[in-house]
């Protein structure tokens, strides 16, 4: 027993000589080191992250002695990577260190005979591989001997001419200058003018230096600048400009030409061939915002065009490029594009890898920046480039007339195939994004968990006296006093019973909020809607799921938080209206209910209960919910801050946008299918001469044609002259015509004149509209030569009801 006690004391004695401290972390990710592994000589490597376990350092396990390992990757054409002990590494300062590196036991070749520190990269001068000599100065450049005018390898340290003189060339503008500054990454060696490199948005300033954009995947950065993976993994870099991508088909820009396993030429270096019509730049003839023609501002890099009014900018001086082109966005492999070839209309096509096209197509002459596309419908291939294509959108499948007049069978087939393929690729992208999110976000975003609402500022939590709390008629002897199936008057009126007032006393089953009798749930990551909430066990219809808990704020604080979120690009809001003066914000503080997503066909609903005199929000099951099903509720415009956010619930009656009313939907029966089939047959029998116009040809105000603007409200075919509406310039964006606003107050109109833009809301339409004696149309007094004959209000409503029925049918 004494021996055992001695051993225990020794194990807990911090001053014991037998206890060794764990070695600290010596290197961080992207540090450059000499490493000795796999029986190779000392080799320059960089510390990077292991893609499997996503760490760059770990302790060796099992090991009798504490040993720290680092994951390193070799530079040069020979790419190898391994976990290396810290004692087999040495900080890298330059090639001159090679002769002084220590000799390790049982480590294979230490130094080859007549071994000179050379790395197989790309020659800075000719951009080709081979046996290259590495400059041991600041530029880290590699050269063929003949490219720098040498016939044999120089003895001793080799320093290039630029490093000797101190005058380096800017990697962007290619101008030699003493004022250029070096990227702070040791192995980079690129020099820049600050004004040149700061034009590339991935560039990051750190302390007194900067990290250039060559160390960040541009494609991942454009998608999400905050993604931690943008600088992880193997990057391949352009040899002529500071652009880098992950070495995979998802990130690499289409038209890139690989030169080595870690270098390429990007599509930015495309050179137009004289006399080649397919190399000429072309722009669309409509605005990308409002889809209308007119005087357009055209991008000089891609086919995009815009009305200056739609972008709300002044007329630019000189060359102008759209936002996507300025950010460096390029087509990628497997993208669906609209492509223009010769005199053919804009046609949907898929970007294809050059190695996957037929041999005869691959042998066709093509330049840097050109990529092959596979046309839908016709199955043809062609080489094209960014100046003659633009991205396909999901709504383009219905805009058959936008790309060209007429629609033959092959074009219709192409549109259908493109729509199907686009959905397939979107699903693949969402699944890939889910896997990426799972790697990066292994835990939900942080928040402080609270159990009850917390008032902020002047907001108060109301507490009622016991005399004011209603008393139900339930009894202790009842089978389920105050339960779901009981006739408890408090439950019917959404009042929670108070334990000191309820006659059922301890058996009362209507105290879910006070006792926090929540259903067991778990947080999980959904496919396309971030984090969500799902049931762990079966939930019965009407059961109490959870209380919506958070900080209780007033309207002023609510608007301040929304403004702060918009300024900081925060897209997730957790605000729910409690009453006219108070709002619950579960963003910074809340409980698990904050993760419940929206659905247009939900399985839960919010109910406002009175608990101890104050209003509280509970989530209750609308139906029986099996285990593992996601829990959702309809935000019903109560949630603040969403605006026009796209809805991704996937319900059959989805309204497409949060806040919009869901469509009325029911499961199709056999009678509905027969009725739909008869309707299709009836449509086929219609005369081909009956064509419904999407837009009218004459101004709705004066009846003349000419330069017109169209209303963007869904289903409205009206067009107008800008002068007729007293507009000094074309309306920008999603403009709605005055036919939809009341003439008196500007609210949404309920009654319309069919002869002019005059319209009125329910409050102001009395006596303003009548049935015209000439043609029987609903008109205002301006269009009846016989004088007004106003209808009664009831007659107006009846006429509108018939119009609405006709519109629904």
């Amino acid at each position: 027993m004494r021996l055992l006690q001695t051993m225990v004391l020794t194990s807990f004695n911090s001053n014991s000589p037998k206890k060794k401290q764990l070695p600290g972390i010596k290197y961080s990710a992207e540090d450059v080191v000499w490493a000795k592994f796999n029986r190779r000589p000392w080799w320059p490597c960089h510390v990077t992250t292991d893609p499997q376990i996503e760490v760059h350092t770990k302790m060796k396990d099992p090991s009798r002695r504490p040993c720290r390992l680092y994951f390193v990757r070799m530079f040069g054409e020979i790419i190898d990577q391994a976990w290396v002990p810290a004692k087999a590494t040495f900080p890298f300062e330059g090639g001159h260190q090679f002769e002084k590196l220590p000799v390790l036991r049982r480590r294979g070749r230490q130094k080859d005979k007549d071994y000179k520190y050379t790395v197989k990269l790309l020659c800075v001068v000719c951009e080709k591989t081979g046996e290259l000599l590495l400059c041991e100065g600041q530029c880290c450049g590699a050269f063929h001997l003949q490219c720098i005018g040498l016939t044999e390898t120089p003895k001793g340290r080799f320093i290039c001419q630029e490093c000797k003189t101190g005058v380096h060339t800017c990697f962007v503008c290619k101008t030699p200058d003493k004022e250029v500054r070096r990227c702070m990454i040791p192995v980079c060696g690129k020099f820049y003018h600050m004004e040149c490199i700061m034009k590339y948005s991935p560039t990051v300033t750190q302390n007194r230096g900067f990290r250039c954009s060559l160390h960040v995947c541009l494609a991942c950065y454009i998608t999400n600048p905050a993604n931690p993976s943008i600088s992880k993994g193997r990057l391949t870099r352009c040899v002529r400009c500071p652009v880098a991508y992950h070495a995979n088909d998802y990130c690499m820009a289409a038209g890139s030409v690989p030169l080595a396993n870690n270098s390429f030429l990007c599509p930015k270096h495309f050179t137009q061939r004289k006399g080649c019509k397919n190399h000429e730049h072309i722009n669309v003839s409509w605005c990308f915002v409002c889809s209308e023609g007119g005087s357009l501002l055209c991008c000089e890099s891609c086919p995009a065009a815009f009305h200056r009014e739609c972008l709300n900018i002044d007329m630019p001086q000189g060359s102008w490029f759209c936002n996507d082109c300025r950010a460096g966005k390029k087509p990628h492999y497997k993208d669906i594009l609209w492509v223009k070839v010769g005199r053919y209309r804009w046609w949907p096509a898929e970007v294809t890898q050059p190695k996957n096209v037929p041999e005869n197509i691959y042998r066709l002459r093509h330049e840097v920046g050109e990529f092959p596309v596979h046309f839908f419908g016709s199955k043809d291939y062609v080489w094209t480039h960014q100046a003659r294509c633009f991205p396909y959108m999901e709504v383009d499948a219905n805009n058959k007339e936008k790309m060209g007049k007429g629609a033959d069978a092959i074009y219709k087939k192409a549109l259908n195939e493109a729509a199907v393929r686009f959905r397939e690729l979107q699903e693949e992208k969402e699944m890939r994004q889910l896997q990426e999110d799972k790697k990066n976000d292994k835990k939900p975003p942080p928040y402080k968990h609270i159990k009850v609402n917390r008032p902020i500022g002047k907001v108060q939590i109301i507490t009622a006296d016991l005399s004011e709390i209603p008393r139900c008629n339930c009894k202790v002897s009842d089978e389920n006093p105050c339960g779901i199936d009981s006739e408890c008057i408090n439950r019917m009126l959404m009042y929670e019973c108070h334990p000191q007032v309820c006659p059922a006393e301890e058996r009362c089953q209507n105290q879910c909020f006070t006792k926090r009798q929540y259903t067991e749930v778990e947080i999980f990551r959904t496919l396309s809607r971030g984090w969500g909430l799902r049931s762990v066990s079966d939930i019965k219809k009407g059961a109490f799921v959870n209380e919506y808990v958070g900080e209780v704020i007033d309207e002023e604080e609510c608007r301040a938080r929304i403004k702060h979120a918009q300024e900081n690009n925060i897209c997730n809001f957790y605000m729910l209206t409690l009453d006219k003066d108070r709002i619950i914000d579960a963003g910074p503080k809340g409980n698990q209910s904050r993760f419940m997503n929206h659905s247009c066909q939900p399985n839960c609903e919010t109910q406002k209960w009175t608990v101890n005199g104050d209003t509280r929000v509970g989530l209750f099951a609308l139906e029986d919910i099996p285990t593992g099903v996601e829990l959702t509720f309809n935000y019903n415009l109560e949630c603040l801050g969403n605006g026009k956010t796209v809805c991704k619930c996937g319900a059959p009656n989805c309204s497409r946008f949060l806040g919009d009313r869901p469509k009325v939907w029911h499961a199709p029966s056999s009678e509905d299918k027969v009725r739909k089939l008869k309707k299709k047959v009836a449509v086929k029998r219609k005369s081909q001469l009956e064509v419904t116009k999407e837009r009218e040809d004459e101004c709705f105000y004066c009846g003349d044609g000419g330069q017109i603007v169209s209303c963007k409200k869904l289903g409205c075919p009206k067009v107008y002259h800008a002068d007729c509406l007293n507009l000094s310039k074309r309306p920008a964006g999603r403009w709605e015509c005055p036919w939809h606003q009341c003439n008196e107050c500007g609210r949404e109109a309920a009654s319309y004149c069919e002869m002019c833009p005059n319209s009125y809301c329910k409050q102001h339409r009395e006596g303003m509209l009548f049935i015209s004696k000439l043609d029987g149309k609903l008109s205002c007094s301006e269009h009846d030569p016989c004088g007004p004959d106003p209808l009664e209000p009831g007659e107006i409503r009846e006429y509108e009801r018939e119009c609405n029925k006709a519109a629904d049918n």
Side-chain angles (χ1 to χ4, degrees):
M1 180 65 70
R2 183 176 298 173
L3 177 62
L4 177 62
Q5 184 179 7
T6 304
M7 291 175 62
V8 172
L9 289 175
T10 302
S11 64
F12 283 96
N13 187 0
S14 60
N15 297 323
S16 173
K18 294 184 179 180
K19 183 176 179 63
K20 295 185 177 181
Q21 294 183 349
L22 297 178
I25 298 177
K26 188 177 179 181
Y27 308 111
S28 59
E30 297 298 334
D31 281 354
V32 183
V33 298
W34 292 98
K36 185 77 177 66
F37 65 100
N38 288 357
R39 303 187 64 80
R40 288 194 174 91
W42 284 100
W43 204 279
C45 305
H46 70 284
V47 181
T48 186
T49 303
D50 187 346
Q52 295 183 351
I53 59 177
E54 299 182 350
V55 295
H56 75 283
T57 180
K58 66 179 182 179
M59 297 301 297
K60 186 176 180 180
D61 186 26
S63 177
R64 291 179 297 175
R65 299 177 180 177
C67 178
R68 181 169 292 279
L69 304 177
Y70 294 92
F71 192 76
V72 299
R73 188 193 300 268
M74 296 170 55
F75 288 107
E77 282 194 353
I78 302 175
I79 297 297
D80 199 1
Q81 56 190 24
W83 284 99
V84 180
K87 64 181 180 181
T89 63
F90 201 77
F92 181 91
E93 296 177 2
H96 61 278
Q97 295 177 280
F98 183 78
E99 301 295 339
K100 301 178 182 179
L101 292 173
V103 176
L104 303 179
R105 292 182 299 167
R106 298 188 304 277
R107 288 289 173 185
R109 296 174 296 166
Q110 304 299 311
K111 303 166 187 174
D112 288 343
K113 185 178 180 181
D114 298 329
Y115 179 87
K116 183 64 184 173
Y117 175 55
T118 59
V119 180
K120 291 184 179 181
L121 297 171
L122 287 179
C123 176
V124 173
V125 179
C126 66
E127 299 176 353
K128 295 181 180 179
T129 58
E131 291 294 331
L132 304 175
L133 186 63
L134 184 67
C135 173
E136 298 182 19
Q138 286 187 310
C139 73
C140 300
F143 305 88
H144 289 120
L145 294 178
Q146 59 272 24
C147 290
I148 54 176
L150 298 179
T151 57
E152 59 182 10
T153 304
K155 296 181 180 179
R157 296 180 62 189
F158 168 70
I159 305 294
C160 72
Q161 189 64 27
E162 287 191 354
C163 291
K164 287 180 180 179
T165 60
V167 180
H168 292 276
T169 302
C170 174
F171 191 52
V172 176
C173 66
K174 310 303 180 186
T175 304
D177 194 346
K178 284 189 176 182
E179 301 300 323
V180 293
R181 298 177 61 184
R182 186 176 184 269
C183 173
M184 65 183 300
I185 301 298
V187 76
C188 180
K190 297 293 186 291
F191 288 81
Y192 305 92
H193 293 111
M194 286 303 296
E195 59 270 18
C196 291
I197 190 57
M198 293 311 295
K199 294 178 182 178
Y200 292 81
S201 51
T203 302
V204 178
T205 56
Q206 296 178 350
N207 298 329
R208 296 182 179 180
F210 64 92
R211 184 194 67 186
C212 73
S213 54
L214 280 174
H215 309 285
V216 172
C217 174
L218 180 60
C220 295
Y221 179 86
I222 293 173
T223 304
N224 181 13
N227 189 344
S229 299
I230 59 177
S231 58
K232 295 180 180 179
R234 186 164 73 92
L235 293 173
T236 178
R237 299 173 173 89
C238 181
V239 296
R240 296 183 186 174
C241 65
V243 170
Y245 297 105
H246 283 123
N248 58 58
D249 292 345
Y250 302 117
C251 294
M252 282 290 293
S256 301
V257 177
L259 300 176
N261 52 11
N262 61 347
S263 57
F264 70 101
L265 277 176
C266 73
K268 182 179 178 181
H269 308 292
F270 168 80
T271 303
Q272 181 178 343
R273 195 164 64 244
K274 292 184 178 181
C276 181
K277 291 187 177 181
N278 198 35
H279 279 194
E280 295 177 358
H281 179 249
I282 189 171
N283 289 95
V284 298
S285 58
W286 63 87
C287 174
F288 267 27
V289 176
C290 67
S291 301
E292 294 294 329
S295 179
L296 298 171
L297 185 62
C298 298
C299 176
E300 297 188 25
S301 180
C302 72
F306 303 88
H307 291 123
R308 182 181 58 82
E309 297 84 1
C310 291
L311 295 180
N312 195 24
I313 61 173
D314 296 329
M315 184 60 69
Q317 300 293 330
S319 300
W320 182 81
F321 300 92
C322 66
N323 290 336
D324 286 345
C325 292
R326 283 200 298 270
K329 192 173 183 179
K330 303 288 182 183
H332 293 84
Y333 299 110
K334 287 190 174 183
D335 277 359
I336 308 297
L337 306 175
W338 290 102
V339 181
K340 182 74 170 178
V341 178
R343 294 186 177 181
Y344 288 97
R345 71 181 83 192
W346 291 96
W347 203 282
E350 180 178 353
V351 184
T352 309
Q353 269 279 11
K355 61 183 179 182
N356 296 332
V357 301
E359 185 66 22
N360 61 327
I361 302 296
Y362 184 76
R363 288 199 301 265
L364 294 175
R365 184 178 177 182
H366 53 275
E367 309 293 339
V368 176
E370 288 190 280
F371 47 87
V373 294
H374 183 207
F375 288 109
F376 293 103
S378 65
K379 308 300 182 185
D380 292 330
Y381 289 89
V382 74
W383 287 86
T384 188
H385 60 107
Q386 186 183 9
R388 299 184 71 89
C389 60
F390 63 91
Y392 176 96
M393 304 294 288
E394 191 171 8
V395 295
D396 291 343
N398 300 322
N399 295 341
K400 299 179 181 179
E401 296 301 324
K402 188 174 78 171
M403 303 306 165
K405 293 184 178 180
D408 53 26
I410 298 179
Y411 189 59
K412 290 180 180 178
K413 180 182 178 183
L415 291 176
N416 294 333
E417 290 180 359
V420 173
R421 180 61 174 158
F422 183 80
R423 285 193 292 269
E424 291 177 359
L425 294 175
Q426 285 293 101
E427 292 175 359
E428 290 181 12
K429 186 177 180 180
E430 289 178 356
M431 184 61 68
R432 192 167 62 250
Q433 187 63 43
L434 174 63
Q435 295 172 352
E436 183 71 20
D437 291 342
K438 284 184 176 179
K439 287 182 180 179
N440 298 331
D441 303 328
K442 296 183 178 180
K443 294 181 179 180
Y447 72 100
K448 185 174 182 180
H449 187 88
I450 57 177
K451 297 180 180 179
V452 294
N453 290 329
R454 299 282 178 86
I456 300 296
K458 300 178 182 179
V459 177
Q460 294 183 350
I461 300 296
I462 303 170
T463 304
D465 295 331
L466 294 179
S467 60
E468 299 175 353
I469 297 176
R471 179 186 179 94
C472 65
N473 298 323
C474 301
K475 300 178 182 178
V476 181
S477 58
D478 292 345
E479 184 177 356
N480 293 309
C482 307
I484 296 178
D485 301 326
S486 67
E487 297 183 357
C488 177
I489 188 65
N490 279 358
R491 181 177 284 274
M492 294 178 183
L493 298 175
M494 294 187 184
Y495 279 88
E496 186 172 278
C497 297
H498 195 282
Q500 299 180 17
V501 176
C502 182
E505 299 176 354
E506 296 181 356
R507 294 197 62 206
C508 175
Q509 299 180 18
N510 185 25
Q511 298 177 21
C512 299
F513 285 87
T514 303
K515 296 181 179 180
R516 302 191 192 99
Q517 296 173 345
Y518 303 152
T519 303
E520 188 176 359
V521 294
E522 66 176 354
I523 302 168
F524 77 108
R525 175 169 282 285
T526 63
L527 182 62
S528 60
R529 295 184 291 165
W531 295 94
L533 207 63
R534 64 185 174 194
S535 58
V536 175
S537 59
D538 294 343
I539 303 176
K540 292 184 178 181
K541 180 179 179 180
F544 178 60
V545 178
N546 213 324
E547 181 185 0
Y548 198 85
V549 171
E551 294 180 332
V552 184
I553 59 178
D554 57 15
E555 186 175 354
E556 182 180 355
E557 175 66 17
C558 173
R559 295 187 182 280
R561 293 189 179 189
I562 291 176
K563 183 179 179 181
H564 175 267
Q566 292 172 344
E567 292 174 350
N568 293 273
N569 296 321
I570 299 173
C571 302
N572 295 324
F573 293 86
Y574 302 89
M575 299 179 183
L576 191 131
T577 304
L578 185 61
D579 50 42
K580 65 183 182 69
D581 298 320
R582 298 182 298 171
I583 297 148
I584 299 177
D585 183 8
K589 299 179 182 179
N591 61 4
Q592 290 178 323
S593 63
R594 69 194 293 278
F595 292 102
M596 194 177 293
N597 285 318
H598 163 85
S599 176
C600 296
Q601 192 172 337
N603 51 21
C604 296
E605 67 173 350
T606 56
Q607 295 180 7
K608 293 183 179 179
W609 283 59
T610 303
V611 181
N612 198 19
D614 199 6
T615 304
R616 289 162 73 170
V617 178
L619 295 156
F620 293 81
L622 283 171
E623 57 190 32
D624 292 336
I625 305 174
T627 304
V629 174
E630 183 182 2
L631 303 175
T632 58
F633 72 100
N634 193 324
Y635 291 172
N636 277 331
L637 294 176
E638 290 188 48
C639 223
L640 299 179
N642 289 296
K644 278 289 183 180
T645 304
V646 176
C647 180
K648 300 180 180 179
C649 70
N653 63 332
C654 181
S655 63
R656 296 183 60 194
F657 295 100
L658 295 181
D660 288 359
R661 190 181 299 277
K663 303 172 185 176
V664 178
W665 179 87
H666 62 279
S669 62
S670 58
E671 295 180 359
D672 293 335
K673 294 179 181 178
V674 173
R675 192 180 301 112
K676 188 177 291 186
L677 184 60
K678 288 182 179 180
K679 189 175 181 180
K680 286 184 179 179
V681 174
V683 169
K684 289 182 180 179
R685 291 176 182 173
K686 284 185 178 180
S687 172
Q688 294 183 355
L689 298 176
E690 296 180 13
V691 180
T692 303
K693 288 186 177 180
E694 185 179 355
R695 290 279 182 268
E696 295 178 355
D697 299 326
E698 294 83 18
C699 173
F700 186 48
Y701 195 91
C702 68
D704 294 332
Q707 189 78 10
I708 54 179
V709 293
S710 60
C711 176
K712 297 303 181 295
K713 189 174 181 67
L714 186 63
C716 180
K718 306 302 181 187
V719 295
Y720 305 85
H721 294 119
D723 294 339
C724 291
L725 299 177
N726 295 324
L727 299 177
S728 58
K729 58 181 181 179
R730 292 178 61 90
R734 304 292 298 180
W735 174 76
E736 293 184 3
C737 70
W739 203 43
H740 307 289
Q741 289 89 36
C742 175
N743 285 16
E744 303 295 331
C745 63
R747 296 179 181 175
E748 185 176 359
S751 301
Y752 313 90
C753 175
E754 297 185 32
M755 311 289 285
C756 71
N758 289 334
S759 56
Y760 304 92
C761 64
K762 293 181 179 180
Q763 295 180 355
H764 298 101
R765 67 183 177 185
E766 302 298 335
M768 304 303 295
L769 299 173
F770 60 93
I771 297 293
S772 174
K773 295 178 179 178
L774 295 179
D775 52 14
K777 291 184 178 180
L778 192 64
S779 309
C780 64
S781 59
E782 298 179 10
H783 309 291
D784 192 4
C786 300
D789 186 12
L791 295 175
E792 296 297 325
E795 293 177 279
I796 293 177
R797 284 194 290 269
E798 185 66 23
Y799 179 84
E800 290 176 349
R801 191 178 299 116
E802 293 176 3
C803 294
N804 292 335
K805 286 182 179 179
D808 293 338
N809 294 332

